[in-house]
């Protein structure tokens, strides 16, 4: 196909196109393999240089070879060419390769369409407020390119195209808001995401071994946010319950059942009887709260202590371990309200099967820990006294709470308790649980989060990954399952002040110090982070969490309480908005004339004279009218003659300097 002579791209247009492509693809760079990021940058730089130096475009065989190499590279990096990550990587690579054959404005229109599509893919990775703001700026830039591509007479000024692109995007915003608010929402996504959807995240997993939670401390990602509707408990009582582990293989703790097993075995209508069937006796201390949980790609939820049976999150159940699970992986941010009971009794009666599971240990291993626990038991003391002896032994053992514990060998519990004595919360919780089982006391490990950072301005708590924690639960006659946190014995500051209260500055990650001993610049940055987090909370609550229930609750305020009214309101408002925008567009097409300052001044003067009964006749020119006024009102003769003289000079002879004289003559006429 040949290209018309007048259809070749101007150099300025091509350089602007490359800049906009880089702007649109930039957020994907951190998600692409290093080789692809380098290749995309190299192609863009080469095309810009070729445009300025008039280098020829590559031959067809080379373009085919580059395309095949791109497919092979993406397949080798991701193991596939479809899906969320691989598909986005392939799309960005194809967008860059389009530069190798770009010759005409038709190619620009193809690239503009691809840029719009690449913008949409960013929402598969992030839906934060800053992402929307950034992509709105990208939409203005891409639309400006579209305006320029449809202008056949050479490159336009960037100021003109950006202004027109911004105007078009602003005109689309009312339609976007209407569709967002009124378009009927359905539960879940409108289409199934690929199997690799959702970025990999740090967080709790379905098992625990030494070092697992310790690695989470290196991340300041938000795990969840909590807003208490009642006065919150003190910081040391904020234990957010997650996965519970009862199986120990000598090194790793894990659960006997996962969330899918629980749904297959225990799914039922949640009511008082079913809740009491889990062996919970609620004593008091109810606290209502709202949680906004970040996606963690697991099928469990977090809750403070024991959740209320009447306010479990939708489509969730409470397992026999008092853990909330859902049938689907949590791939999106979810929000739910529930009530926590901070005083309760768990399983006052323990079944024989549950007792066996909570006492099971590997057949061999850790002989010194077993002997220590057997010695306590041989003293003839009861279970509660054994627990107290174990905590006292830890308190007197000069144990160290540290982020850098030594590596442990095969008998990890013995090595930790009797040799290294340095560890993190998973070391203390796991070893204490082994001691209890060796002493004949049913015990298990609970993982979750402890504490949280209060945002005083927004009145909510932020719990981050470095707040991850592990503790033990032991079963005691008459009391049921009771929480025992051996970490609190060794590092009591961990509960009151968080991680920063238990570790020194030399061990803490910089982000975990949260302004401790920081400079004024660092404190300002911390304040900005707090303010931005409030924006994020509002965005998550009113935009990302705007699902079917929130939509219905919001629209009920305006008398819209079902889908039929919702569709009717959407149709009427969309039609009205389109009509207004159409009328504004038609008004812009009307020819505009430059204002006639001389005529406007003459009309102001005529209105003043008309109030005195001196009205200009249709057949009278300005000079004739001035002469008649002079005869009828000699006191106005001089002012009217100056007015007519300046008006004729300005309007009929085009003398701009006469406009000033005309304005002065109008002001000289008496107002009344």
């Amino acid at each position: 196909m040949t290209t018309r002579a007048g259809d070749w791209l101007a150099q300025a247009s091509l350089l602007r196109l490359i800049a906009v492509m880089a702007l649109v693809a930039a957020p994907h760079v951190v998600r692409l393999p290093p080789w692809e990021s380098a290749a995309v940058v190299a192609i863009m730089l080469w095309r810009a240089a070729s445009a300025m130096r008039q280098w020829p475009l590559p031959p067809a065989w080379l373009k085919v070879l580059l395309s095949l190499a791109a497919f092979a590279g993406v397949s080798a990096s991701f193991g596939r060419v479809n899906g969320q990550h691989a598909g986005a990587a392939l799309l960005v690579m194809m967008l860059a390769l389009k530069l190798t054959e770009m010759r005409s404005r038709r190619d620009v229109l193809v690239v503009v369409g691809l840029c719009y599509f690449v913008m949409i893919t960013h929402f598969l990775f992030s839906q934060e407020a800053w992402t929307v703001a950034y992509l709105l700026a990208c939409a203005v830039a891409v639309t400006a390119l579209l305006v320029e591509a449809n202008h056949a007479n050479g490159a336009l000024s960037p100021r003109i195209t950006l202004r027109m692109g911004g105007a078009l995007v602003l005109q689309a915003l009312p339609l976007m808001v209407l569709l967002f608010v009124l378009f009927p929402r359905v539960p879940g996504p409108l289409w199934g995401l690929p199997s690799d959807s959702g970025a990999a995240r740090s967080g709790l997993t379905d098992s625990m071994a030494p070092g697992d939670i310790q690695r989470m401390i290196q991340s300041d990602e938000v795990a969840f946010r909590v807003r208490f509707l009642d006065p919150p408990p003190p910081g040391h009582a904020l234990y957010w319950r997650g996965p519970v582990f009862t199986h120990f293989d000598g090194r790793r703790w894990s659960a006997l059942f996962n969330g899918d097993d629980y749904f297959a075995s225990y799914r039922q209508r949640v009511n008082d009887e079913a809740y009491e069937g889990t062996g919970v006796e609620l004593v008091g201390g109810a606290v209502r709260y709202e949680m906004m949980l970040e996606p963690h790609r697991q099928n469990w939820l977090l809750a403070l202590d024991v959740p209320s049976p009447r306010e479990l999150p939708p489509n969730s159940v409470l397992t026999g371990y008092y853990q909330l699970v859902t049938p689907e992986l949590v791939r999106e941010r979810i929000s739910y309200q529930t009530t926590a009971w901070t005083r309760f009794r768990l399983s006052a009666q323990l079944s024989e099967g549950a007792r066996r599971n909570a006492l099971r240990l590997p057949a061999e291993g850790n002989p010194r820990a077993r002997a220590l626990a057997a010695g306590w038991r041989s003293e003839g003391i009861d279970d509660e006294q054994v627990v107290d002896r174990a905590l006292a032994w830890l308190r007197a053992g000069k144990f160290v709470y540290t982020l850098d514990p030594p590596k442990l060998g095969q008998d990890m519990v013995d090595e930790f308790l009797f040799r290294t004595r340095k560890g993190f919360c998973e070391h203390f919780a796991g070893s204490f649980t082994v001691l209890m089982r060796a002493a004949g006391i049913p015990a298990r490990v609970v993982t979750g989060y402890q504490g949280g950072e209060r945002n005083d301005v927004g009145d909510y708590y932020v719990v981050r990954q470095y707040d991850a924690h592990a503790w033990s639960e032991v079963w005691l006659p008459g009391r049921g399952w009771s929480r025992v946190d051996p970490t609190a014995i060794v590092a009591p500051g961990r509960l009151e002040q968080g991680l920063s209260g238990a570790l020194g500055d030399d061990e803490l990650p910089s982000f975990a110090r949260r302004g401790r001993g920081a400079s004024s610049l660092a404190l300002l940055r911390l304040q900005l982070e707090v303010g931005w987090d409030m924006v994020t909370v509002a965005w998550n609550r009113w935009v990302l969490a705007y699902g079917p229930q929130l939509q219905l609750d919001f629209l009920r305020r305006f008398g819209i309480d079902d889908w039929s009214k919702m569709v009717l309101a959407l149709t009427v408002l969309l039609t009205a908005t389109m009509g207004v925008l159409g009328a504004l567009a038609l008004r812009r097409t009307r020819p505009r004339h430059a204002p006639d300052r001389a005529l406007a001044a003459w009309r102001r003067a005529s209105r003043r004279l008309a109030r005195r009964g001196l009205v200009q006749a249709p057949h009278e020119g300005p000079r004739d009218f001035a002469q008649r006024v002079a005869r009828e009102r000699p006191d106005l003769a001089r002012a009217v003659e100056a007015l007519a003289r300046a008006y004729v000079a300005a309007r009929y002879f085009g003398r701009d300097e006469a406009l000033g004289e005309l304005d002065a003559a109008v002001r000289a006429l008496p107002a009344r």
Side-chain angles (χ1 to χ4, degrees), residues 199 257 270 283 406 419:
F257 304 97
V270 179
V283 178
R419 184 176 64 84

Side-chain angles (χ1 to χ4, degrees), residues 546-560:
Y546 190 74
Q549 189 59 48
L550 185 58
Q551 182 185 42
L552 203 57
D553 293 341
F554 175 73
L555 295 180
R556 278 199 185 104
R557 305 175 185 177
F558 306 96
I560 303 174

Side-chain angles (χ1 to χ4, degrees), residues 220 453 464 466 510-516 526 529-530:
D220 68 339
E453 179 185 355
R464 303 179 184 273
Y466 59 69
S510 58
F511 53 75
R513 297 169 192 168
R514 309 305 293 172
R516 187 170 66 181
L526 180 59
E529 289 179 359
V530 170

Side-chain angles (χ1 to χ4, degrees), residues 183-199:
F183 195 85
R185 298 299 179 104
V186 296
L190 292 177
W191 56 82
L193 290 176
S195 59
D196 65 338
S197 64

Side-chain angles (χ1 to χ4, degrees), residues 10 42 58 60 71 103 119 136-137 139 163 189 215 233 245 282 319 380 388 397 426 444 451 464 488 582 587 611:
F71 271 91
R103 299 178 181 273
M119 287 168 50
L136 279 176
R163 185 177 69 245
R215 283 189 291 271
F245 305 135
L282 302 176
T319 72
D388 293 338
E426 63 264 43
R444 60 195 182 192
R464 303 179 184 273
R587 184 179 179 183
R611 286 196 287 268

Side-chain angles (χ1 to χ4, degrees), residues 313-605:
N315 202 25
S316 68
V317 297
L318 193 67
T319 72
Y321 296 150
Y322 317 106
Q323 176 187 345
L324 284 174
V325 296
T326 62
E328 302 292 338
L329 300 183
V330 181
R331 299 178 183 271
E332 300 177 343
R333 185 181 290 106
I334 59 174
S335 178
Y336 51 90
Q337 287 189 12
T338 186
T339 299
W341 295 84
T342 56
R343 296 199 303 275
F344 47 84
R345 184 182 302 170
L346 301 182
S347 297
Q349 301 297 324
L350 193 63
S351 68
E352 190 58 33
R355 178 182 293 274
R356 285 196 303 269
N357 288 335
L359 288 172
R360 186 178 291 118
L361 286 173
E364 298 179 352
N366 302 303
R368 296 185 66 183
R370 295 173 188 258
L372 177 64
W376 293 333
R377 178 57 74 186
S378 65
E379 296 176 5
I381 57 179
D382 61 20
D383 290 354
E384 290 191 38
Q385 291 172 321
V386 170
V387 172
D388 293 338
R389 285 292 301 275
L391 294 177
W393 187 82
L394 288 175
R395 185 181 294 109
K398 297 183 179 179
F399 284 86
V400 177
Y401 183 74
T402 177
L403 273 177
D404 189 24
K407 292 184 178 180
L408 301 175
Q410 183 174 0
D411 290 333
M412 47 169 286
V413 176
D414 276 1
E415 290 193 29
F416 168 66
L417 292 177
F418 301 101
R419 184 176 64 84
T420 66
R421 301 200 174 200
K422 295 181 178 180
F424 206 60
C425 59
E426 63 264 43
H427 297 78
F428 291 100
S431 299
F432 181 84
T433 305
V434 169
L435 285 173
M436 293 299 99
R437 290 188 174 189
I441 301 176
R444 60 195 182 192
V445 174
V446 183
T447 59
Y449 298 85
Q450 197 282 321
E453 179 185 355
R454 182 180 175 88
N455 186 314
D456 293 322
V457 180
D459 194 23
Y460 61 90
Y461 286 78
V462 181
V463 180
R464 303 179 184 273
Q465 295 299 346
Y466 59 69
D467 293 314
H469 195 49
W471 58 93
S472 297
E473 281 186 344
V474 297
W475 189 87
L476 300 173
R479 293 176 54 183
W481 288 106
S482 303
R483 179 172 61 228
V484 180
D485 190 350
T487 303
I489 300 299
V490 178
R494 169 64 180 86
L495 271 61
E496 294 291 346
Q497 304 173 32
L499 195 66
S500 61
L503 297 173
D505 287 347
D506 56 336
E507 282 197 280
L508 276 177
S510 58
F511 53 75
R513 297 169 192 168
R514 309 305 293 172
R516 187 170 66 181
S519 63
S520 57
L521 183 61
L523 290 175
L524 175 61
R525 178 183 176 184
L526 180 59
Q527 292 176 355
L528 293 176
E529 289 179 359
V530 170
W532 178 251
D533 195 75
M534 289 182 56
V535 174
T536 301
V537 169
W539 175 262
N540 294 343
R541 184 178 183 186
W542 298 109
V543 179
L544 299 186
Y546 190 74
Q549 189 59 48
L550 185 58
Q551 182 185 42
L552 203 57
D553 293 341
F554 175 73
L555 295 180
R556 278 199 185 104
R557 305 175 185 177
F558 306 96
I560 303 174
D561 53 5
D562 57 32
W563 278 41
S564 60
K565 293 181 181 179
M566 202 179 299
V567 173
L568 178 62
L570 179 63
T571 303
V572 171
L573 290 176
L574 278 179
T575 303
T577 304
M578 293 295 292
V580 171
L581 293 176
L584 292 175
L586 288 175
R587 184 179 179 183
R588 290 174 61 89
T589 61
R590 292 170 54 187
R592 296 183 179 182
H593 302 286
D596 192 333
R597 287 181 54 190
L599 181 59
W602 178 261
R603 287 174 176 171
R604 289 200 307 272

Side-chain angles (χ1 to χ4, degrees), residues 30-371:
V30 296
R31 309 176 187 120
L32 300 177
W35 68 265
E36 182 173 345
S37 299
V40 170
V41 172
I43 292 173
M44 290 183 177
L45 292 177
W46 166 83
R47 191 64 179 93
S50 68
M52 293 185 288
R53 301 193 178 188
Q54 300 299 313
W55 293 342
L57 295 180
W61 65 267
L62 182 56
K63 290 184 288 188
V64 172
L65 187 62
L66 289 173
S67 300
L68 293 176
F71 271 91
V74 171
S75 178
S77 298
F78 297 95
R80 57 197 298 181
V81 293
N82 63 335
Q84 179 184 359
H85 295 84
L90 186 61
L91 181 62
V92 172
M93 196 67 199
M94 293 297 103
L95 177 65
L97 288 175
K98 183 64 180 175
L99 290 172
T100 63
E101 64 173 5
M102 183 169 294
R103 299 178 181 273
S104 66
R105 294 185 180 275
R106 176 181 176 277
D107 296 320
V108 175
L109 294 176
V110 173
V111 170
V112 167
L114 286 174
C115 285
Y116 281 124
F117 199 86
V118 170
M119 287 168 50
I120 296 174
T121 63
H122 290 302
F123 288 116
L124 296 176
F125 299 91
S126 172
Q127 299 174 9
E128 305 296 334
W130 71 266
T131 303
V132 176
Y134 182 84
L135 293 182
L136 279 176
C138 290
V140 172
V142 176
T143 307
L145 272 182
L146 184 62
V147 170
E148 183 168 333
N150 285 279
H151 188 265
N153 298 324
L156 292 171
S157 166
R159 180 177 58 84
I160 296 175
T161 57
L162 287 174
R163 185 177 69 245
M164 295 181 68
L168 290 172
V169 171
L170 285 176
Q171 291 172 16
L173 286 180
L175 301 177
M176 179 190 73
V177 173
L178 279 177
L179 289 171
F180 176 81
V181 173
L182 290 173
F183 195 85
R185 298 299 179 104
V186 296
L190 292 177
W191 56 82
L193 290 176
S195 59
D196 65 338
S197 64
R201 295 178 178 269
S202 61
L204 300 174
T205 61
D206 55 2
S207 65
M208 185 196 78
D212 288 353
I213 296 181
Q214 171 190 338
R215 283 189 291 271
M216 293 174 58
I217 304 304
Q218 306 302 323
S219 171
D220 68 339
E221 288 186 9
V222 174
F224 56 92
R225 296 176 176 86
V226 177
R227 183 171 63 92
F228 284 98
L229 307 179
D230 293 325
H236 63 81
L238 295 178
Y239 280 84
W240 308 97
R241 191 182 188 89
V244 181
F245 305 135
T246 58
H247 178 67
F248 181 57
D249 62 5
R251 184 168 189 86
R252 179 170 292 275
W253 289 90
S254 58
L256 290 176
F257 304 97
N258 59 29
D260 294 335
D261 296 328
Y262 276 113
F263 260 88
S265 304
Y266 294 100
R267 186 160 191 166
Q268 56 185 318
R269 181 176 179 269
V270 179
N271 52 31
D272 288 344
E273 290 76 21
Y275 193 67
E276 290 171 1
T278 62
V280 180
E281 179 185 348
L282 302 176
V283 178
V287 179
R288 295 180 303 124
Y289 64 93
E290 178 184 32
M291 173 172 286
M292 188 167 292
L293 181 64
E294 296 294 317
H296 51 68
R297 296 177 62 80
Q298 302 289 339
N299 63 341
W300 41 261
L301 306 178
L302 290 160
L304 177 64
D305 287 323
V306 174
S308 167
R310 297 186 180 277
E311 296 184 59
L312 292 180
N315 202 25
S316 68
V317 297
L318 193 67
T319 72
Y321 296 150
Y322 317 106
Q323 176 187 345
L324 284 174
V325 296
T326 62
E328 302 292 338
L329 300 183
V330 181
R331 299 178 183 271
E332 300 177 343
R333 185 181 290 106
I334 59 174
S335 178
Y336 51 90
Q337 287 189 12
T338 186
T339 299
W341 295 84
T342 56
R343 296 199 303 275
F344 47 84
R345 184 182 302 170
L346 301 182
S347 297
Q349 301 297 324
L350 193 63
S351 68
E352 190 58 33
R355 178 182 293 274
R356 285 196 303 269
N357 288 335
L359 288 172
R360 186 178 291 118
L361 286 173
E364 298 179 352
N366 302 303
R368 296 185 66 183
R370 295 173 188 258

